[in-house]
Amino acid sequence: MPGPFAVISESWRTFSGPEKRNIAVYIVGIMLYKFGLEAFNGSIIALATNRYDNDAAAANTTAKTFERIGLLTGLNQAFQCVGSILIAPLIKRYPTKLVLSAAIFLFGLCTAILLIVDGATGGTLKPAGWSKTHAKDDYGYYGTYNTDGIIPIYCVAGIAYGMVELIRRVVPRDIVGGNVQKLRRMDAMVHIFYEVAGTSGAFCTALALIPKLGNNFSFIITPIFFTAAAGVWLFLTTLDFTPPDSAAAAESPSYLRSIFSGVRLFLDSILTGGRIIFSTRKFIWLLPGYSLALYGHRYLENGIAPAIAKRYLGNSAWSQLMVGGSNFGELLGAAFVFLFTNVVTTPIPWLRLDAALLMIVWYLPGWRAPQGTVQAAWMVAATFIPVSFGWAAGDVSLAAYIQASLARLESTTPNVSALGAVMAFLYSSYIVLYAVASPLLGKYLDREFARTGGKEGGGHIRTALTNVAGVQFTILMAVIIGATLVPRGAWAWNPTALEGERLDEEVGMEGVDKDKLDKGPTVEVEGRNSSL
């Protein structure tokens, strides 16, 4: 097997000169985007955690901190679907690079809303030396607005987030065309650089931005980085965009009609995807293999990490250290799939590894973490690396498998793409599961913290973590491993093929886009099936 540098060199030589230039520009822009995104998401979660705890203490009521955090993150992800539907018609009318740059600039403006609100209600940057002269839970430099106001602002940001996420799934196809091998290589390279930026962004937020600026202003860099990314992406070429002629433009539906059509096609995609998934043994295992695995990964980062940081370690900002460890694990997982794609030819071994590594979280309930020590946060970050390594490896390989196995079904679904429909159903299933489970589990964490004494009485969440981390992830592990035994030929540890299909020999897939596979609902855009 060739070494890693040989694999990278050979992959880079696959692309033409203009493609290399566009890929380089795209990677620079997406790294700026990811760095700013980590600063925004990490700061908002830490800010909301602190404010909800303080509101409960001031009102002398039981804290609903993690119930609200679960609602906040669940709604944000649901509103991403709305953003994808709103932006899809514009991709038909304007060059992708202009729509992408405009969308991320709008996203930057949305992230600035909370900065403006905080400043207008008396909020300031964290004063120098504040931590030395004030109590640990004194956040007097915060604005005085109602904390629940973060929820609609984060939902609006979710719409803009969904716009950007949809468009960036289209760009790789526009850069390298419909060549599946080029798409896979480009996606792998982009994913690696994306996670490099994500890891560094998470660490920078936790160790520098929040301690120096306070988490009410630590994401002040986000609008700056998003604007820079918008500017960089303007240097992409016009790619394959062909403006509609005047006659076609006159006959095309209005923007509002296009949106309604997008909603209809989105719902049609979900129903079609459900029929495909539940109609055969060949596909039914994808629901737990994809949706449950994604749910577990997101809950690890957005549910468990904030709870550990605040209730175990006493510093909500350190959840971003843990997310940084998770991002680094994702980077390694994607890299391993890229390097060993010819050794592990199906997603089954990666999914089993993903499920087994979920058991690492069982140490958390019995761990007696010393409060206020950043070394403990680094330890959690280190244990998140293998967990997210397994998820990323399983996710990347499963996406490739779904793309190849569904290619031959495209002609059987005339109104929507079979591939897009399945991904819409799988991602929507994850959204519904997360939106329901996260607030309920957060409420349980809050109740157990209050029952054991609360903030003033030495309350803890160790018993709750036994259930929301240990027991829940054990159930996920059992279901995912069970799912990997469903397809024919999957009983071997490293199957060479599933259902007797040699998908690596598939040809004639020019009409199937890799960008459909990236974790999200599909919106039809006349000639482009794009996923969130």
Side-chain angles (χ1 to χ4, degrees):
M1 186 181 70
F5 292 106
V7 173
I8 295 172
S9 176
E10 190 256 337
S11 297
W12 187 244
R13 287 196 299 269
T14 303
F15 304 109
S16 67
E19 288 172 348
K20 291 177 181 178
R21 177 192 177 278
N22 280 325
I23 290 171
V25 171
Y26 182 63
I27 286 176
V28 171
I30 209 165
M31 292 183 74
L32 290 169
Y33 163 69
K34 179 61 172 176
F35 195 95
L37 183 65
E38 286 296 336
F40 177 66
N41 286 336
S43 298
I44 292 295
I45 298 301
L47 175 65
T49 301
N50 290 343
R51 290 187 64 101
Y52 279 122
D53 258 15
N54 279 12
D55 289 350
N60 197 26
T61 59
T62 301
K64 297 182 178 179
T65 303
F66 292 102
E67 178 183 357
R68 293 298 190 182
I69 294 299
L71 179 65
L72 183 70
T73 54
L75 287 175
N76 175 266
Q77 295 184 48
F79 272 84
Q80 292 176 35
C81 300
V82 177
S84 71
I85 293 172
L86 292 177
I87 203 66
L90 297 178
I91 303 175
K92 166 71 171 158
R93 290 170 166 78
Y94 304 102
T96 304
K97 70 171 186 177
L98 294 181
V99 181
L100 178 59
S101 294
I104 195 170
F105 182 73
L106 175 63
F107 193 3
L109 292 179
C110 290
T111 64
I113 293 175
L114 198 55
L115 295 171
I116 297 170
V117 170
D118 194 88
T121 56
T124 65
L125 295 173
K126 184 179 180 180
W130 179 275
S131 300
K132 297 179 181 178
T133 57
H134 293 76
K136 180 182 66 173
D137 294 325
D138 184 351
Y139 302 103
Y141 51 89
Y142 283 178
T144 56
Y145 61 90
N146 189 319
T147 304
D148 282 338
I150 295 176
I151 295 177
I153 293 174
Y154 205 46
C155 288
V156 172
I159 295 176
Y161 188 6
M163 292 178 175
V164 175
E165 288 295 297
L166 181 141
I167 304 168
R168 78 179 187 88
R169 311 303 182 190
V170 174
V171 171
R173 158 73 190 281
D174 289 349
I175 291 177
V176 300
N179 186 302
V180 174
Q181 288 298 323
K182 284 187 175 182
L183 280 168
R184 287 176 176 168
R185 294 172 191 271
M186 178 181 171
D187 282 350
M189 286 190 291
V190 169
H191 192 86
I192 290 171
F193 283 103
Y194 184 77
E195 292 305 338
V196 167
T199 302
S200 57
F203 287 155
C204 180
T205 302
L207 298 176
L209 295 175
I210 292 179
K212 295 295 183 182
L213 305 179
N215 45 33
N216 58 326
F217 276 95
S218 54
F219 55 99
I220 195 170
I221 70 166
T222 299
I224 299 171
F225 272 69
F226 282 7
T227 301
V232 167
W233 279 332
L234 286 175
F235 286 95
L236 291 169
T237 62
T238 55
L239 305 176
D240 67 346
F241 175 75
T242 303
D245 55 42
S246 56
E251 295 176 0
S252 64
S254 66
Y255 178 66
L256 288 178
R257 289 185 62 187
S258 296
I259 290 176
F260 289 131
S261 177
V263 172
R264 180 182 60 81
L265 288 170
F266 173 57
L267 296 176
D268 192 13
S269 290
I270 294 176
L271 294 174
T272 301
R275 285 196 296 269
I276 293 173
I277 289 289
F278 291 109
S279 65
T280 174
R281 173 181 174 180
K282 178 180 177 180
F283 297 122
I284 195 170
W285 64 280
L286 298 177
L287 181 60
Y290 182 91
S291 301
L292 288 187
L294 178 58
Y295 163 78
H297 175 70
R298 295 297 181 219
Y299 191 75
L300 180 76
E301 293 186 342
N302 299 329
I304 294 177
I308 292 293
K310 187 66 176 177
R311 298 294 184 237
Y312 269 39
L313 308 182
N315 191 329
S316 60
W318 289 345
S319 66
Q320 277 302 96
L321 284 180
M322 304 170 198
V323 172
S326 177
N327 287 341
F328 184 65
E330 291 182 51
L331 188 160
L332 296 178
F336 264 65
V337 173
F338 180 67
L339 295 174
F340 297 101
T341 184
N342 294 326
V343 178
V344 183
T345 57
T346 73
I348 296 299
W350 297 120
L351 287 175
R352 289 170 181 164
L353 179 64
D354 174 22
L357 291 173
L358 290 176
M359 295 298 93
I360 291 175
V361 301
W362 267 109
Y363 83 91
L364 291 171
W367 183 40
R368 299 298 189 267
Q371 279 224 348
T373 58
V374 71
Q375 292 84 355
W378 281 110
M379 174 185 167
V380 179
T383 60
F384 278 14
I385 291 174
V387 179
S388 292
F389 169 91
W391 172 78
D395 181 72
V396 171
S397 59
L398 187 59
Y401 171 80
I402 295 173
Q403 174 181 351
S405 63
L406 285 171
R408 63 193 62 187
L409 290 183
E410 293 295 330
S411 61
T412 67
T413 53
N415 295 326
V416 296
S417 159
L419 177 58
V422 167
M423 294 309 299
F425 179 80
L426 294 176
Y427 192 78
S428 298
S429 299
Y430 149 70
I431 287 289
V432 172
L433 177 60
Y434 190 94
V436 172
S438 186
L440 294 177
L441 295 175
K443 184 176 183 179
Y444 172 60
L445 285 168
D446 292 331
R447 187 173 69 242
E448 285 299 300
F449 182 65
R451 183 184 65 81
T452 55
K455 187 175 181 180
E456 303 300 329
H460 61 82
I461 58 170
R462 285 188 288 273
T463 302
L465 278 179
T466 300
N467 294 318
V468 302
V471 173
Q472 180 183 208
F473 278 32
T474 299
I475 294 173
L476 292 178
M477 180 271 293
V479 174
I480 292 171
I481 287 183
T484 65
L485 301 175
V486 171
R488 295 178 180 86
W491 282 78
W493 168 246
N494 183 17
T496 56
L498 301 178
E499 301 290 336
E501 295 177 315
R502 298 293 303 181
L503 298 177
D504 55 335
E505 298 173 0
E506 191 87 20
V507 295
M509 293 174 57
E510 290 79 5
V512 181
D513 298 339
K514 173 68 174 70
D515 50 77
K516 297 176 193 173
L517 290 178
D518 277 286
K519 311 196 252 301
T522 294
V523 181
E524 298 281 339
V525 190
E526 282 195 49
R528 294 179 184 173
N529 298 315
S530 306
S531 60
L532 173 60

